[in-house]
Amino acid sequence: MSEAEVPQAAPPAFEVPRHVAIIMDGNGRWAAARGLPRAEGHRRGVEALRRTIRAAGEIGIQIITIFSFSAENWSRPPTEIRELMGLLRRFIRNDLAELHRSNVRVRIIGEREGLDPDIGRLLTEAEELTRANSGLTLVVAFNYGARQEIARAARRIAEQVERGALKSADVTIETVGAFLDAPDLPDPDLIIRTSGEQRLSNFLLWQSAYSELVFLPTYWPDFDRAALEAAIREYQQRERRFGGLVAKTGS
Ligand code: FPP
């Protein structure tokens, strides 16, 4: 990130998606294609992330959610897990002050339990420092899995019913939504996955019910403002009907 503030356009243009979520895929293949270690792909992935945060603010996106470590990523070799944890530590230590200066609000979704205590502290520090910021919201999905998130919500709802605070007959779509990790945020309008893979891989399964999905061939380390704009252009050509008949574009 540079010194300049990440601008947050006033009300976004009608066609600009308010909330964009990104599956940052292809770091390993980017590295393999260049004969480099996978770790180098992840490091370049962090640079792509910085570019993307800046571009999102400039374009007028209000919320950007990034899939930075999935609940399933624990099955990777220990050295790669250490590398990804190290990148998160460095990202927060190096970039948090500047994100704060740029008026970015950081939110975290995913399971905090089981993380190294210092990582838990860094995530909390990022949220607390930036809590009052009013610019771009950056949602970091870390140790995140959508089925796990929905199961956590179901468990907490069941606890409320057991305590008599809620009746089972009153459990609605809204109730479930209210127990998810970031209940106040709108659903993503657009979900982008890089690297040519065409699946959600346990990302935002509840929130993606009506999201437009755009799959780009670009490997994540090559992602830049032009790629983000290409995805938005594709989104703008979609007709969002939300199950109804009336055509509606944008959010
Ligand atoms: C997918 O590439 C990417 C990840 C598993 C992690 C994404 C992480 C970053 C972009 C950097 C870390 C950022 C933070 C804030 C911690 P892959 O390894 O699955 O690529 P492949 O499918 O080509 O092997």
Side-chain angles (χ1 to χ4, degrees):
M1 305 282 295
S2 82
E3 287 288 310
E5 166 152 331
V6 173
Q8 181 57 64
F14 182 65
E15 304 82 1
V16 171
R18 178 159 61 149
H19 181 176
V20 176
I22 308 183
I23 303 174
M24 310 182 289
D25 196 10
N27 295 347
R29 277 163 286 166
W30 181 93
R34 288 158 180 79
L36 296 168
R38 291 177 59 81
E40 184 58 23
H42 293 314
R43 281 194 287 274
R44 296 292 285 265
V46 176
E47 287 173 22
L49 174 59
R50 292 191 180 106
R51 285 197 295 274
T52 304
I53 294 169
R54 163 148 296 281
E58 287 168 358
I59 289 168
I61 293 164
Q62 293 179 7
I63 305 162
I64 181 155
T65 298
I66 51 153
F67 204 2
S68 61
F69 190 86
S70 82
E72 288 75 26
N73 284 155
W74 294 108
S75 64
R76 295 194 176 201
T79 47
E80 181 158 348
I81 292 173
R82 270 198 298 281
E83 174 68 25
L84 288 167
M85 294 294 157
L87 281 178
L88 178 78
R89 285 186 180 97
R90 286 201 290 283
F91 178 68
I92 295 183
R93 287 191 190 128
N94 297 339
D95 292 49
L96 180 60
E98 190 172 337
L99 288 170
H100 183 43
R101 273 199 300 279
S102 304
N103 200 23
V104 172
R105 181 171 181 193
V106 179
R107 305 276 303 264
I108 312 292
I109 57 172
E111 179 59 79
R112 303 277 175 103
E113 245 169 67
L115 293 175
D116 286 351
D118 75 301
I119 297 237
R121 280 195 297 275
L122 283 171
L123 296 176
T124 304
E125 182 192 334
E127 283 190 306
E128 286 182 354
L129 179 71
T130 62
R131 188 173 300 279
N133 289 348
S134 56
L136 180 78
T137 295
L138 170 66
V139 185
V140 180
F142 197 80
N143 194 19
Y144 176 84
R147 288 176 168 179
Q148 290 85 339
E149 179 188 31
I150 295 166
R152 270 197 302 281
R155 215 158 36 236
R156 290 167 56 209
I157 291 168
E159 284 162 10
Q160 299 277 321
V161 173
E162 278 171 6
R163 274 200 271 124
L166 194 63
K167 289 199 185 84
S168 59
D170 293 336
V171 176
T172 61
I173 290 173
E174 288 71 27
T175 319
V176 177
F179 282 86
L180 296 177
D181 289 354
D184 52 314
L185 296 182
D187 291 341
D189 302 294
L190 166 63
I191 298 181
I192 300 169
R193 182 171 189 151
T194 58
S195 92
E197 307 288 351
Q198 303 196 2
R199 56 181 172 271
L200 285 176
S201 299
N202 204 16
F203 186 49
L204 303 178
L205 297 182
W206 179 274
Q207 299 88 337
S208 62
Y210 290 102
S211 303
E212 296 297 330
L213 309 181
V214 171
F215 301 103
L216 299 177
T218 317
Y219 290 147
W220 176 252
D222 288 330
F223 195 83
D224 58 8
R225 180 174 175 147
L228 180 59
E229 286 175 346
I232 292 173
R233 272 198 301 279
E234 186 167 338
Y235 165 85
Q236 288 167 338
Q237 278 154 22
R238 305 276 176 88
E239 192 181 74
R240 303 186 78 194
R241 290 195 297 276
F242 298 92
L245 294 175
V246 184
K248 189 177 170 194
T249 14
S251 52

